[in-house]
Amino acid sequence: MVTATFYLYDKPVKEALMIARQSEIPGFVEFYGYESRELQLHVRMADDNAFQAFSSADEYRRPEKLMEYKKVEQFNKSNYESKLKSALDDGTVF
């Protein structure tokens, strides 16, 4: 059993108790919600800084459904942030 914390950008929005077991998808581990079976994720590590996931066992036959995530060191730290104009500056807001 594991506790999963779900984030929306850099803010935690939900915690769920999940059970881990071998997935039907070869090479993946399935995590599913202890209280809600509908909450599931099939995960495998791609490398040290990335993982791949499917939201259900049925999706692995459709490669376009594969989700890939990379490790994020800091949220909202962009080199472009200082170059962006505000909506008022670029004329979007009158």
Side-chain angles (χ1 to χ4, degrees):
M1 297 183 97
V2 296
T3 300
T5 304
F6 296 85
Y7 288 84
L8 183 60
Y9 298 100
D10 61 340
K11 305 279 188 262
V13 292
K14 179 181 181 178
E15 263 195 9
L17 185 60
M18 300 186 85
I19 298 172
R21 68 177 182 181
Q22 185 175 349
S23 173
E24 298 171 31
I25 306 171
F28 283 74
V29 174
E30 176 185 8
F31 294 94
Y32 64 91
Y34 181 74
E35 296 174 359
S36 172
R37 235 351 250 254
E38 292 79 36
L39 180 61
Q40 65 174 294
L41 195 61
H42 300 259
V43 177
R44 78 171 169 195
M45 294 304 296
D47 60 37
D48 289 342
N49 294 314
F51 71 91
Q52 298 174 326
F54 287 104
S55 22
S56 74
D58 300 331
E59 291 185 346
Y60 88 96
R61 290 186 176 88
R62 298 174 30 210
E64 70 275 5
K65 294 291 188 175
L66 179 67
M67 299 174 280
E68 297 184 279
Y69 299 93
K70 294 200 182 268
K71 182 178 178 181
V72 176
E73 296 293 336
Q74 294 180 323
F75 288 98
N76 299 325
K77 301 294 181 194
S78 171
N79 295 334
Y80 302 104
E81 184 176 357
S82 63
K83 297 178 185 176
L84 296 175
K85 294 182 179 181
S86 71
L88 189 58
D89 291 341
D90 76 1
T92 305
V93 178
F94 309 108

